[in-house]
Amino acid sequence: MNCYNASEGLPYPLGATADKQGVNFAIFSANAQRVELCLFDPEGCREIQRINLAVCTDQVWHVYVEGLTAGAIYGYRVYGPYEPQNGHRFNPHKLLIDPYAKQLFGTFHWSNTMLGYTANEDNEDQDLIIDERDNAAEMVKCVVVDNDALLVKNALSPPKPNIPWNKTIIYELHVKGFSKLNMALAESERGFFSSLAQPEVLSYIKQLGVTAIELLPVHVYIDEKFLIDNKLTNYWGYNSLNFFTVHHAYLKNNDIIEFKQFIDAAHAVELEVILDVVYNHTAEGNRLGPTLSFRGIDNASYYGLEAHDARFYINDTGCGNTLNAKHPRVLQMVMDSLRYWAELGVDGFRFDLATVLGRETGGFDPGSGFFDAIRQDPILASCKMIAEPWDIGPGGYQVGNYPSGWSEWNDRYRDIVRCFWRGDAEVLPEFARRIHGSSDLFEHSGRAPSATINFISSHDGFTLNDLVSYNERNNYANNENNNDGHHSNFSYNHGEEGESNNAEIIELRDRQKRNFIATLFLSQGTPMLLAGDELGRTQQGNNNAYCQDNNINWIAWKNIADNDRYLQLFTRYVISLRQQYPLFTSKAYIHRPKELEDENISRVHWYNPEGCEMSEQQWQEADRHTLTWVLENSSVTNNSTVEKSILLLLFNAGNEPEEFYLPQDMNVKKWTPLLDTCEIDGVPKNTISLTENAIVMKHKSMQVLSANFE
C-alpha cells in the first residue's frame, strides 16, 4: 500500500492541483474544526490513506501530497458540530465531494447512508439525530485532473466565433435528446458530446442558420429520490451536484476532453456554445436531503438559512435549498466555475432562476456583488450572459431589470405572441411592443433590442407542435396526477385535442406553426428556437417533460412527416430573410418617425388594413386582430443621395380573410413579396396583384414585402 508524504501546501488555488512533484489540495470551510483528505485505490473501493489538513489559512484548509499524480481518487471528511438548529450539519461519517472537483469516479446510487441524519419518516425532528453509518463504499469520489493537458488542448483550439449580439440566433437543445434517435450517427455515439461534434450534426445545425447552441445543463447532476421511486429520471439536469464537472452520462469515456472536442468542432464551423447553468441551488435539497458535499463541508456558509431557525433552508428556488451567493467564498466558487468553462471555450451562459444570484438583503439588486463580479472579470467580459429573470422568492419576477450587458428570457414575448395568434382580444398593443423588441422593458436602462431573448417555446412547456395541438397539458406520465407543469399555456388545438386526421385542422395547425416561426425570427430582439420545433417534434402534450428520458423527449428523426420537413425548409428560409435584411437585426431600437434633419435614421410605422396609420382608438379596439408593421431605413450615400429600404410585415390573426391596402405615402413603385406563411416553404409562389394596391390575406396568416423604388 502506498503511503504518501504530506506537507503544508498552499491555500490557492482551491481544489486539487497537480504538478510534477505531487498534488496540492485546498478546500474552504469557515466553521469546520478538522478536515481529512481520504485517498482511495484505483478502483475507488478501498481507502489507502487518510491525511489531516493541519493548516488553515483564511478559512481554507490545505495540504500538499508528494508523489501523488493526476488520476488519483479522493474525497473529504469534515469534522465539526452537528447542530442543525444552529445551521451546522458536519458529519465525518460521510465522504464528501470536493466542490472544485473536475471529474468524478463512479455513478451515484441512492442509499440511506447518504443521509447525514437517522431517517425516520414518523419523526419530524429526525434530522436532529446524526447518522453514524459510513457511506464511503457507495459514494462517488473525486478524481485529480491534469489541467495542463487541457491547457495544451486550448492552445490548439479554433478561435471563438464572437458573433455580435444583434446577429445571434440561439438553438436550445439537450445533448442526449438531440442525438439518441439520429440514425445518421453510429449507435455507439448517440447521446454523448461526441455525437454533437460529428460533422453531419453540426452541418444540420449550421444550415438552419442559427449561430449558437444553448445546451441544457451539463454539470453533473443526480436524480431526486422521489423520481427514482417512481422509476423516472431528472432528464433536464437542473439538479447540480458539482459545478466543475461534466455529467458522466454525456461522456463516452468519462473524459473532459470529449466536451472540449465538441466545443472546438462547433467553433470550427463558427457556432457558439452557451451553457445553461444552475448556480441557484444544489442536489442536496432541503433539510431531509442527502449530505454529499456543500452541506457537510460548511452548511451555514454555502446555503441560505432561515433567520428564525437555521435548521430550515431558504427556498427561493422551489428545489429545497438556495445557494448563498452573497457569501464571498460561495461567490468565488461560482466565478471560478464560470471562468473554468469559459477557458474551455464556452461562449456564454444562461443562468437558471438568475434572480437568486442578484438578491441582496434588501431584495433583488442589479448592482449586487454577483453582477459586479461578472462585470469586472476580464475572462468573462466577452461571454454572453443570459438570465432567466425570475424565481419564486420575494420580488422574484424581474424581467427588464437586469444590468447593462445582460440579456433575459422574455416570457411576456412568449405569452403575448401565443395569445395574438390564438386570436385573443385586447392583445394588439402589447403584441406590437413585443415584436418591436420590448423597448418598454429594456430600453430605459440603455440596453439594446438584443437584451430580449424572444422565444415561442423552450424545454419548459409545450413544444411548438403541441402548442397548436393541445388545449390541456397531458402530464400523466410524470406520476403527479397531471397536477404539475404550467396551468396557462395560451395554446389552442384548433378543433381536436392531440393528433388529428382532419385535413383542415392539420393545414391550419401547420400554418400556425409557420406564423409563430416567422414572427419569432422577424421580431426585433434575439430569437431562440427549441431544437426539434423546426421538425414538428411532439411531447404528446406533456408540458413538463423534465423526468422523461424516453421518446417523449428524444427527437424522432426517422418519423418526421413530410409536412414537417417542409417546416424545416420554412425555418431555414425565414432565418435567411433575417440575415439578409439589416432592419430585422438593428443594434438600436427603431422608433416612430420624428421631424429630424438627419436622413440617416430608421423608423417604425404601424398601419391598419386600410393603409392608414393606426389611430389611438384603433389600438384600443378589443377585437382587432390585424396589423401592418413597417420598418424603414434612410441613409445618405457619399454622393449625397438618399437611399431607402422599407419592409412591410402584415399580420392577420383573425378567423376571416382580410384585405390589406398597402401604404400610399411612401412613394414605393413596387412591392416585392418575400414571405407568405400560406406556403409550406414560405416562398411566395404567385405574383401578388397590386393593381388596386391591396392584398387579400387568408385568416391566420402573415406576409412580408419589401419596397422597390426603381
Side-chain angles (χ1 to χ4, degrees), residues 446-462:
R447 297 158 78 187
S450 58
T452 171
I453 304 295
N454 297 330
F455 63 104
I456 305 298
S457 53
S458 68
H459 69 275
D460 187 5
F462 278 146

Side-chain angles (χ1 to χ4, degrees), residues 106-111 114 138-140 222-223 241 248 290 292:
T107 302
F108 180 82
H109 297 286
W110 269 98
S111 164
M114 302 299 170
E138 300 172 287
M139 184 61 179
V140 294
I222 63 173
D223 301 319
L241 178 61
H248 62 90
L292 306 173

Side-chain angles (χ1 to χ4, degrees), residues 294-344:
F294 312 99
R295 175 174 281 143
I297 293 170
D298 193 348
N299 185 68
S301 294
Y302 276 107
Y303 293 116
L305 306 176
E306 294 288 358
H308 67 280
D309 188 345
R311 177 184 168 197
F312 295 90
Y313 292 84
I314 293 172
N315 189 22
D316 291 343
T317 64
C319 300
N321 64 54
T322 302
L323 202 66
N324 183 21
K326 295 188 290 292
H327 191 289
R329 288 293 188 182
V330 180
L331 177 59
Q332 177 188 4
M333 178 188 69
V334 172
M335 295 299 297
D336 287 347
S337 171
L338 291 170
R339 276 191 296 270
Y340 173 69
W341 298 107
E343 288 171 344
L344 284 178

Side-chain angles (χ1 to χ4, degrees), residues 587-635:
K587 291 183 178 180
Y589 281 102
I590 302 172
H591 289 295
R592 293 180 63 81
K594 296 179 180 179
E595 296 298 328
L596 296 174
E597 295 181 3
D598 186 2
E599 290 289 344
N600 292 285
I601 192 169
S602 296
R603 300 177 174 90
V604 62
H605 311 261
W606 306 97
Y607 285 81
N608 57 33
E610 292 75 35
C612 302
E613 292 225 31
M614 288 279 289
S615 67
E616 188 62 32
Q617 179 181 348
Q618 289 171 330
W619 280 115
Q620 303 308 317
E621 292 173 358
D623 292 326
R624 180 172 287 272
H625 306 294
T626 55
L627 185 66
T628 298
W629 182 27
V630 182
L631 296 170
E632 176 189 4
N633 178 260
S634 299
S635 59

Side-chain angles (χ1 to χ4, degrees), residues 622-674:
D623 292 326
R624 180 172 287 272
H625 306 294
T626 55
L627 185 66
T628 298
W629 182 27
V630 182
L631 296 170
E632 176 189 4
N633 178 260
S634 299
S635 59
V636 180
T637 65
N638 292 334
N639 60 5
S640 299
T641 60
V642 177
E643 291 187 351
K644 284 189 175 183
S645 59
I646 299 177
L647 295 170
L648 257 62
L649 290 83
L650 286 62
F651 302 90
N652 180 15
N655 294 318
E656 300 294 335
E658 185 78 34
E659 191 172 44
F660 280 73
Y661 286 86
L662 304 181
Q664 296 292 300
D665 56 355
M666 295 185 174
N667 299 317
V668 177
K669 294 184 178 180
K670 181 181 179 182
W671 293 99
T672 302
L674 299 178

Side-chain angles (χ1 to χ4, degrees), residues 349-365:
F349 303 90
R350 180 265 188 189
F351 293 81
D352 180 65
L353 303 181
T355 300
V356 164
L357 297 166
R359 183 175 282 113
E360 298 281 5
T361 303
F364 178 81
D365 180 4

